[in-house]
Amino acid sequence: MSAKILEKQQLSENVYKMVLEGAKIAQKRKAGQFVVLRIHEEGERIPLTIADADPVKGTVTIIFQVVGKSTGHLADLNVGDVLLDLVGPLGKPTHIEKVGVVACIGGGVGIAPVYPITQALKNAGNHIVSIIGARNRDLIIMEDEMKAVSDEFIVATDDGSYGYKGFVSQALEDKYLLPGKKIDMVVAIGPVPMMRAVTDTTRKYNVPTVVSLNSIMVDATGMCGACRVSVGGKTQFVCVDGPEFDGHQVNFKELIDRQRIYLNEEKECYDHYCSCRLGKGGI
Amino acid sequence: MEMKDRLKIPRQPMPEQDPKVRARNFDEVPLGYTPETAKTEALRCITCKNPSCVDGCPVQVDIPGFISRVMEGDFIGAARHIKQTNALPAVCGRVCPQEVQCEERCVRGKKAEPVAIGRLERFVADFERATGDVAIPEAPPSTGKKVAIVGSGPSGLTVAGDLVQLGHDVTIFEALHKPGGVLVYGIPEFRLPKAIVAAEVDYLQKLGVKISTSFVVGKTSTVDELFEEGYDAVYLGTGAGLPTFMNIPGENLNGVYSANEYLTRSNLMKAYKFPEYDTPIVKGRNVAVVGGGNVAMDSVRTAMRLGADHVYLIYRRSRAEMPARIEEIHHAEEEGIELHLLTNPTRYIGNDKGWVVGVECLKMELGEPDESGRRRPVPMKGSEFVIDVDTVVVAIGAGANPLVQSTTPGLNTNKWNYIVADEETGQTSREGVFAGGDIVTGAATVILAMGAGRKAAQAMHRYLMSKK
Ligand SMILES: Cc1cc2nc3c(=O)[nH]c(=O)nc-3n(C[C@H](O)[C@H](O)[C@H](O)COP(=O)(O)OP(=O)(O)OC[C@H]3O[C@@H](n4cnc5c(N)ncnc54)[C@H](O)[C@@H]3O)c2cc1C
Ligand SMILES: Cc1cc2nc3c(=O)[nH]c(=O)nc-3n(C[C@H](O)[C@H](O)[C@H](O)COP(=O)(O)OP(=O)(O)OC[C@H]3O[C@@H](n4cnc5c(N)ncnc54)[C@H](O)[C@@H]3O)c2cc1C
Ligand code: SF4
Ligand code: FES
């Protein structure tokens, strides 16, 4: 199904929010699920988490960071433009139950996918400790939204330009785990090195930790195996078995390697796009 | 022409692209008959009264009936004649294993060579398409019944075509963004041009079939929700699209692909046209493909066309046991594929960046026959050796994708998670739910998937008309 872009907003230097038409997906989606979209006939299929949805209006919200050709192209589109394909909701929904105190950790653009999960965990009666972080103040997104669904709230920046100075994993350890404050579960979403750092930290304290993996995907229906990761020594398909897994079981080294398979091609593709874009008189 | 002269005509070859040239392009390999060669070939058929070729055809196409029209030069009539029993002759003419079906049974094959039934089928279908003279039958009166078809592979397309012509309101739901199933994501352009599949799909749409792509049944809506939305019957034609790995060390290294991923990137996503198309694919210099079926053949030939220096086919049994079509093995060898028969991978070796650099193999020998009747390969002790590779494609079979089964309560499956359905009707354990094709039989052939679709369409029609 094609989908029209209904709203567009720039959240930070490289992060955009878009509201898309998608009635069916909006009705069905649950926290933790994602969509796959394809911009045009020559485009690739890219997965993006459903950051929010409005079943009444029939809309789906995505928040994405420009990291290459497809996300760059997406950011160049405007309200009224139509994406050729939008499919979802894909992946298993987050398992939502009342466990007590849950730390919801989002790093960079990972704040976007952690938001709907935080919201659902809050609605299930959990006490929410949110820790969101980025390299600097300008890159912090969705602060108000996250605050609204949290009982306790921390912002961390690597350079200390805002809030706690340091990584989100350090904030978690410093403020909660080390002082022995009760945390029953952690949900951490962000760049792979961040999720790895959080799981390394929580492992020391035996706190169950859920991470959401962003492996490279093609079909995202379990048909190709592109997205496979090793969890507890077993191969799992992120698109159908995940995207969430027990962070203490994930082979992060393999995931990082696999995310780099197309590094050269991705650069070639983005350069190709940028030069075409310049050729057309820029944007 | 006298019969005795007709019997002297040799089987007409079909021109092909030169192996050296075609091994580096994605254009179709066989170039097709001309009207003249088609007529000449047709004259070789003796129009048997009890044609054994028809028994060899899983959907019983009236072969002498269409071939006699070719003899008369009525190519369009021939195409329409086939279409009464086989909706996709341009596809089947290209991908059916005629050598073990109709052509194997052809009486001419006893003393000389069988009639080239597949090539003729292909020719008439292409002729009809090229003239644009594709008849759209008049729409039948509406029955007011709504049918949902899950999956747009050959079996789903067949059911859709049959039911729409019986007056039902038919919608196909397809998970991917393009309809066609394996015909678009699996089988490469050089064997089945995608324009042909698109034309067939277009024809169905002209008949009134609606196609909803990017719709994953089990996710976007479940089967039960389709019923709630007003569909009166559902056909499950979801195929055997779950990749199988061998579970040997190193399978998750960079550069190791499932055949499904490799072929999907290349065919559906057009990675061979990167960077014109955005989806990348690893263009290996030294590529190993593991397996011996059509999927493995398509993978080796794709690797060659992507520019490899060496493409190795690693198969654990001998040539005689290879399930691939003989024609495809032959084509692959002509294109320079190197065979490692009686060889089985034991592990993949990686470098410090996580990329595959070698495949360690064991030599095998054939032992006693196994359940499949083929002699079982047994490893030879101490025969390990390593082939240097930068890309591996694992093409050892496919299984059932569980998405629909796991979201449809009461739908019975067998121990491999294939859907249990009646062979004659496609009826499953759920009322109003029918199934056929690879999701019932396991990975099989296009024509069997179509045959199952045809039978199910008849049964679904009876079911719909008896339902109040
Ligand atoms: C389940 C899931 C949910 C995601 N949710 C979000 C989200 O909410 N917001 C967001 O900004 N990003 C999200 N991502 C990541 C996003 O899909 C990639 O950033 C995007 O595909 C990059 O495409 P590109 O062409 O712009 O960049 P490229 O130049 O192609 O690649 C840049 C990086 O993105 C990764 N990538 C490339 N292609 C894919 C692909 N097809 N699938 C996954 N990763 C890929 C690669 O590891 C690469 O290092 C998610 C990924 C997954 C798997
Ligand atoms: C590479 C390759 C080469 C082959 N070569 C030959 C050949 O030369 N000759 C031959 O006769 N056979 C060949 N085959 C086998 C043949 O293609 C299959 O037997 C045939 O396509 C099966 O048809 P089908 O309709 O059952 O399923 P498929 O063609 O597999 O189609 C199933 C469709 O259902 C869709 N689907 C699955 N799940 C869902 C869902 N939950 N919701 C919505 N849609 C869904 C899939 O995306 C797919 O499009 C080959 C197979 C492969 C993979
Ligand atoms: S068996 Fe051979 S000769 Fe006889 S009708 Fe069939 S194709 Fe013609
Ligand atoms: S993306 Fe193809 S199986 Fe997960």
Side-chain angles (χ1 to χ4, degrees):
Chain A
M1 261 166 287
S2 59
K4 194 189 272 178
I5 300 170
L6 303 172
E7 288 174 37
K8 175 186 176 183
Q9 189 190 343
Q10 186 163 6
L11 300 185
S12 73
E13 194 190 339
N14 274 321
V15 177
Y16 294 80
K17 171 175 160 177
M18 276 182 181
V19 178
L20 311 173
E21 198 176 60
K24 266 245 129 65
I25 302 172
Q27 282 163 19
K28 284 289 291 222
R29 73 95 198 194
K30 294 206 171 77
Q33 290 188 296
F34 63 96
V35 288
V36 162
L37 63 83
R38 200 169 69 116
I39 298 174
H40 61 144
E41 186 52 36
E42 291 81 23
E44 60 181 339
R45 297 169 61 96
I46 62 163
L48 295 170
T49 307
I50 303 170
D52 209 345
D54 186 331
V56 180
K57 288 193 194 139
T59 61
V60 174
T61 304
I62 52 170
I63 293 175
F64 61 92
Q65 181 169 23
V66 175
V67 294
K69 152 81 214 268
S70 300
T71 46
H73 190 172
L74 192 58
D76 287 346
L77 300 180
N78 289 304
V79 171
D81 289 340
V82 175
L83 307 175
L84 190 54
D85 302 298
L86 181 71
V87 54
L90 300 169
K92 287 195 175 140
T94 311
H95 178 73
I96 302 289
E97 64 174 331
K98 186 169 175 194
V99 290
V101 184
V102 183
C104 295
I105 306 182
V109 75
I111 301 167
V114 98
Y115 168 69
I117 298 171
T118 310
Q119 195 180 33
L121 286 166
K122 171 79 185 163
N123 289 341
N126 291 288
H127 181 92
I128 303 289
V129 174
S130 288
I131 307 176
I132 65 172
R135 283 202 314 281
N136 61 52
R137 180 177 197 139
D138 293 338
L139 301 177
I140 295 287
I141 58 168
M142 300 181 78
E143 187 179 345
D144 295 338
E145 287 93 329
M146 282 300 284
K147 256 188 196 151
V149 292
S150 307
D151 298 284
E152 298 172 46
F153 181 79
I154 296 177
V155 178
T157 49
D158 298 1
D159 65 356
S161 54
Y162 190 36
Y164 177 93
K165 180 175 189 309
F167 299 133
V168 284
S169 51
Q170 294 167 329
L172 174 72
E173 183 159 25
D174 261 16
K175 304 260 180 186
Y176 290 89
L177 301 178
L178 205 57
K181 280 203 205 165
K182 186 165 122 78
I183 298 280
D184 296 302
M185 184 174 100
V186 170
V187 178
I189 308 183
V192 177
M194 173 226 126
M195 291 192 280
R196 172 140 80 170
V198 171
T199 52
D200 285 345
T201 306
T202 57
R203 191 178 286 117
K204 291 189 289 189
Y205 299 90
N206 260 322
V207 183
T209 302
V210 173
V211 292
S212 178
L213 304 182
N214 50 350
S215 55
I216 291 181
M217 296 186 175
V218 183
D219 64 302
T221 65
M223 183 267 275
C224 77
C227 61
R228 63 199 191 276
V229 291
S230 298
V231 181
K234 275 178 54 190
T235 295
Q236 301 273 327
F237 289 2
V238 173
C239 67
V240 285
D241 302 322
E244 286 160 26
F245 294 98
D246 173 355
H248 294 150
Q249 304 281 326
V250 171
N251 182 340
F252 284 107
K253 154 90 169 75
E254 183 185 278
L255 175 63
I256 291 173
D257 285 343
R258 287 188 63 79
Q259 283 185 332
R260 298 169 60 90
I261 298 180
Y262 302 104
L263 223 50
N264 297 333
E265 289 86 355
E266 282 156 1
K267 191 175 174 315
E268 183 187 344
C269 189
Y270 199 28
D271 292 348
H272 180 79
Y273 177 69
C274 293
S275 62
C276 287
R277 189 165 61 177
L278 288 176
K280 285 182 194 139
I283 40 159
Chain B
M1 200 187 282
E2 293 285 318
M3 184 54 85
K4 69 173 195 319
D5 294 326
R6 283 169 56 182
L7 290 178
K8 283 188 199 136
I9 303 173
R11 181 171 158 116
Q12 299 295 296
M14 180 160 53
E16 289 179 346
Q17 273 198 73
D18 180 77
K20 284 218 175 58
V21 176
R22 73 182 196 231
R24 298 298 187 196
N25 71 47
F26 277 83
D27 298 337
E28 196 177 7
V29 169
L31 302 171
Y33 276 165
T34 61
E36 289 319 309
T37 37
K39 274 200 235 170
T40 309
E41 180 62 30
L43 285 169
R44 300 184 58 237
C45 171
I46 55 175
T47 329
C48 308
K49 281 252 156 48
N50 293 307
S52 44
C53 56
V54 176
D55 298 334
C57 173
V59 297
Q60 272 96 50
V61 166
D62 174 15
I63 293 164
F66 98 78
I67 294 185
S68 50
R69 286 172 172 78
V70 179
M71 283 178 218
E72 292 156 13
D74 178 12
F75 304 136
I76 298 211
R80 294 200 180 140
H81 195 70
I82 301 177
K83 280 192 174 170
Q84 290 174 7
T85 36
N86 178 347
L88 306 173
V91 173
C92 290
R94 287 175 167 81
V95 305
C96 271
Q98 289 98 7
E99 67 280 4
V100 296
Q101 298 179 359
C102 52
E103 293 184 17
E104 184 181 52
R105 309 277 187 97
C106 170
V107 290
R108 295 292 323 269
K110 285 190 187 142
K111 290 211 179 107
E113 281 192 279
V115 174
I117 302 168
R119 292 172 185 175
L120 290 172
E121 178 182 29
R122 174 194 151 123
F123 168 76
V124 298
D126 286 359
F127 188 91
E128 187 195 29
R129 199 177 57 257
T131 57
D133 190 5
V134 180
I136 308 286
E138 219 172 286
S142 165
T143 61
K145 304 284 184 190
K146 279 176 75 180
V147 182
I149 291 170
V150 186
S152 63
S155 92
L157 293 178
T158 305
V159 177
D162 285 3
L163 289 181
V164 81
Q165 293 185 67
L166 290 165
H168 304 293
D169 178 357
V170 179
T171 307
I172 300 180
F173 295 98
E174 167 55 52
L176 296 171
H177 57 261
K178 271 211 172 68
V182 170
L183 308 182
V184 292
Y185 81 71
I187 303 181
E189 178 78 17
F190 55 83
R191 235 165 30 90
L192 179 62
K194 300 308 143 214
I196 290 175
V197 185
E200 300 296 356
V201 170
D202 185 56
Y203 175 72
L204 288 180
Q205 285 176 309
K206 286 195 178 122
L207 292 179
V209 173
K210 286 168 266 180
I211 303 184
S212 183
T213 50
S214 295
F215 192 113
V216 186
V217 173
K219 288 286 178 190
T220 315
S221 288
T222 61
V223 167
D224 286 303
E225 283 162 343
L226 291 175
F227 281 118
E228 283 162 28
E229 286 164 28
Y231 288 93
D232 299 293
V234 175
Y235 180 78
L236 304 173
T238 50
L242 190 74
T244 313
F245 289 96
M246 291 170 71
N247 295 318
I248 58 175
E251 259 178 337
N252 293 350
L253 287 167
N254 289 359
V256 180
Y257 283 107
S258 75
N260 275 5
E261 181 185 353
Y262 194 65
L263 294 172
T264 300
R265 281 183 182 273
S266 183
N267 300 324
L268 179 71
M269 305 310 298
K270 303 250 183 297
Y272 68 89
K273 293 188 181 166
F274 181 89
E276 185 197 331
Y277 280 72
D278 293 343
T279 304
I281 192 166
V282 175
K283 294 182 177 162
R285 300 246 70 98
N286 298 297
V287 183
V289 173
V290 184
N294 284 324
V295 183
M297 292 306 142
D298 285 343
S299 303
V300 287
R301 298 176 71 196
T302 296
M304 204 45 144
R305 282 161 174 77
L306 288 171
D309 296 330
H310 293 282
V311 183
Y312 310 102
L313 182 88
I314 301 178
Y315 180 56
R316 65 197 179 117
R317 303 183 200 243
S318 74
R319 183 188 290 262
E321 287 86 18
M322 280 170 86
R325 293 185 62 189
I326 297 158
E327 183 184 328
E328 301 309 334
I329 303 172
H330 172 72
H331 275 144
E333 283 193 285
E334 278 184 342
E335 290 164 13
I337 275 67
E338 299 158 53
L339 300 182
H340 281 279
L341 300 172
L342 288 167
T343 304
N344 204 26
T346 45
R347 70 186 172 106
Y348 301 105
I349 302 160
N351 65 16
D352 57 347
K353 296 210 168 67
W355 277 87
V356 66
V357 293
V359 45
E360 185 192 80
C361 301
L362 266 180
K363 285 262 169 221
M364 312 292 276
E365 56 194 350
L366 291 181
E368 296 298 309
D370 62 12
E371 325 78 68
S372 73
R374 297 179 299 179
R375 291 175 65 193
R376 185 193 303 273
V378 272
M380 291 162 69
K381 268 217 175 69
S383 64
E384 287 91 350
F385 68 104
V386 174
I387 309 176
D388 293 339
V389 294
D390 50 24
T391 309
V392 172
V393 180
V394 183
I396 57 159
N401 189 318
L403 262 180
V404 170
Q405 295 87 309
S406 63
T407 52
T408 313
L411 185 68
N412 287 353
T413 54
N414 67 17
K415 66 175 168 176
W416 299 285
N417 207 18
Y418 289 113
I419 298 171
V420 178
D422 185 280
E423 227 178 275
E424 288 308 311
T425 62
Q427 175 68 55
T428 68
S429 54
R430 279 282 307 265
E431 192 197 326
V433 180
F434 298 76
D438 281 6
I439 190 57
V440 171
T441 56
T445 60
V446 170
I447 193 68
L448 286 172
M450 290 175 59
R454 169 131 299 171
K455 286 183 186 167
Q458 290 306 319
M460 289 174 80
H461 179 60
R462 287 194 298 273
Y463 170 77
L464 290 163
M465 298 320 284
S466 65
K467 214 181 121 190
K468 279 167 276 318

